[in-house]
Amino acid sequence: MVEIARDLRVKGTDLWLDSRRRKDFCFISHSHLDHAAKHKKILATAPTVELYRHRRGRVEAVTVAFNERLGVGEVAVTLFSAGHVLGSSQILIEGRTRTVYTGDFKLRQSETAEPIEIKQCDLLIMECTYGHPRYRFPTRDEICDRLEGFVRGNLRRGVTPVVFAYSLGKAQEAMKIIGDYGYELAVDRSVYDIARIYEQFGVEFGPYALLTDDGVRGQVVISTPFGRVRDRLKPIRRLRTVFLTGWAIDGRSEFMSAVDEAIAFSDHADFYDLLEYVKRAKPSMIYTTHGPKEFAGILRSEGFQAEHVVSHQQLRLDL
Ligand SMILES: [Zn+2]
């Protein structure tokens, strides 16, 4: 059903899946840059196409809604929600078997991404970034409380709270959470532009403005941790920073040493949600990618057939 030359390709078609190399036609699960190389034509949901064009420029696109079935060569493909960021999707490929490729996904509730759907399948190709038992993320309520406590405590002392989050997805989720508590926000350009796209698709935020050289007055800053951070924050005299990342669990983020605090807030499933996903999808074979190879062994000990692939190149399927 799926075959590999250098990346994943749907067998018997010219459709590739999240290829990191330029292709004529590629399914894009979401527009994080590690899943969205510059292609000639893409297959994706409307928000993903819009976000892709914002980040990668013009592209020909086949746009489909969740659960709209599309014939591609000898198979049918269906995109359905991954719960990772707005518009993020998994893909179901139906031919002789049912194959699901997840892309990045999350089971936890999100205010800015559609809830995940899990479909039963024969073959599952799943990302397992946090596939180790030490990754148990706090509940959403715990994350919201901690974030609001950080914001409130610093504002009370006249210190500007600065929240670092990936500019697509997590930054908008942080905007939504903090904005819904009634705080005003100043966000950097990359976060701002993507928030405007989210609004086009019906996500509503509280008051927010673009972070400028004039500095801030009682606002909460939300910024990507990448790029010219020091320049961006220069106009702010007293500040304290928090970084939102799943790697906060073990302090393994490259940015951890550069921030005052970190909260284990991720757009990925934690270990326990990865297991939950597999139990609900009931696949007869699982290929795990993007995470620790031990996760496939854990799945085998739970009674599943599973194998880890370090890169897509190693995956050769003919089902
Ligand atoms: Zn992602």
Side-chain angles (χ1 to χ4, degrees):
M1 187 65 62
V2 173
E3 71 175 350
I4 308 304
R6 297 180 116 191
D7 294 313
L8 293 168
R9 181 168 69 174
V10 180
K11 194 171 171 63
T13 76
D14 61 354
L15 179 64
W16 297 79
L17 307 179
D18 274 350
S19 173
R20 293 185 181 214
R21 297 172 185 80
R22 182 178 170 83
K23 301 295 179 193
D24 285 344
F25 188 30
C26 189
F27 161 68
I28 300 293
S29 62
H30 64 291
S31 289
H32 282 157
L33 295 178
D34 56 336
H35 288 257
K38 178 85 174 126
H39 303 294
K40 188 163 177 243
K41 184 164 78 170
I42 61 171
L43 168 67
T45 64
T48 297
V49 169
E50 198 63 31
L51 291 161
Y52 181 98
R53 285 180 171 147
H54 171 66
R55 306 190 109 191
R56 291 289 192 199
R58 291 160 64 97
V59 71
E60 211 181 315
V62 177
T63 305
V64 288
F66 287 143
N67 286 311
E68 181 185 337
R69 213 156 173 257
L70 182 76
V72 179
E74 293 174 3
V75 301
V77 299
T78 307
L79 275 52
F80 61 106
S81 179
H84 177 57
V85 299
L86 179 72
S88 64
S89 73
Q90 310 173 68
I91 184 169
L92 167 68
I93 305 151
E94 292 173 285
R96 277 179 289 160
T97 58
R98 284 166 65 86
T99 299
V100 166
Y101 165 75
T102 64
D104 294 349
F105 67 91
K106 172 171 93 254
L107 269 62
R108 306 270 178 108
Q109 177 209 342
S110 161
E111 297 297 329
T112 56
E114 306 84 351
I116 190 171
E117 185 186 349
I118 297 175
K119 291 184 188 290
Q120 293 190 2
C121 58
D122 305 308
L123 174 70
L124 176 64
I125 305 166
M126 72 183 300
E127 73 95 9
C128 64
T129 302
Y130 292 104
H132 187 281
R134 73 173 173 278
Y135 297 115
R136 184 191 289 279
F137 295 148
T139 64
R140 185 176 177 81
D141 283 352
E142 286 166 344
I143 287 167
C144 292
D145 284 355
R146 174 111 191 261
L147 196 49
E148 199 272 336
F150 171 83
V151 166
R152 180 166 30 86
N154 283 303
L155 286 176
R156 191 187 289 153
R157 295 185 295 119
V159 174
T160 297
V162 175
V163 180
F164 286 129
Y166 193 88
S167 61
L168 166 54
K170 218 180 298 174
Q172 286 70 38
E173 191 69 11
M175 285 177 67
K176 183 75 181 154
I177 292 170
I178 299 167
D180 283 357
Y181 279 110
Y183 297 104
E184 289 195 20
L185 310 173
V187 307
D188 79 36
R189 169 58 74 184
S190 65
V191 173
Y192 183 93
D193 289 346
I194 290 172
R196 303 294 287 186
I197 295 173
Y198 269 52
E199 287 174 331
Q200 286 174 33
F201 290 94
V203 178
E204 293 177 358
F205 299 104
Y208 69 99
L210 188 61
L211 177 63
T212 67
D213 289 344
D214 296 338
V216 292
R217 264 178 231 294
Q219 291 149 309
V220 182
V221 172
I222 299 181
S223 167
T224 169
F226 304 113
R228 304 171 75 87
V229 175
R230 279 202 186 152
D231 287 356
R232 233 178 285 137
L233 301 181
K234 209 172 179 181
I236 305 168
R237 284 182 42 222
R238 296 178 67 206
L239 58 86
R240 203 168 158 83
T241 55
V242 65
F243 185 30
L244 307 181
T245 173
W247 302 118
I249 294 282
D250 51 13
R252 209 149 57 83
S253 165
E254 56 190 296
F255 298 102
M256 215 66 88
S257 57
V259 294
D260 298 313
E261 295 182 34
I263 298 176
F265 180 19
S266 177
D267 278 336
H268 291 260
D270 70 4
F271 173 81
Y272 303 89
D273 284 348
L274 290 171
L275 285 185
E276 172 71 17
Y277 183 107
V278 170
K279 284 171 185 165
R280 282 160 61 183
K282 299 183 167 59
S284 47
M285 181 65 199
I286 304 157
Y287 289 96
T288 62
T289 65
H290 291 108
K293 63 179 189 304
E294 293 78 12
F295 185 63
I298 293 169
L299 289 174
R300 288 194 294 273
S301 70
E302 294 274 327
F304 294 98
Q305 283 234 69
E307 194 179 308
H308 185 69
V309 285
V310 175
S311 68
H312 288 169
Q313 285 93 321
Q314 291 176 281
L315 193 51
R316 297 186 189 281
L317 309 172
D318 184 9
L319 302 169

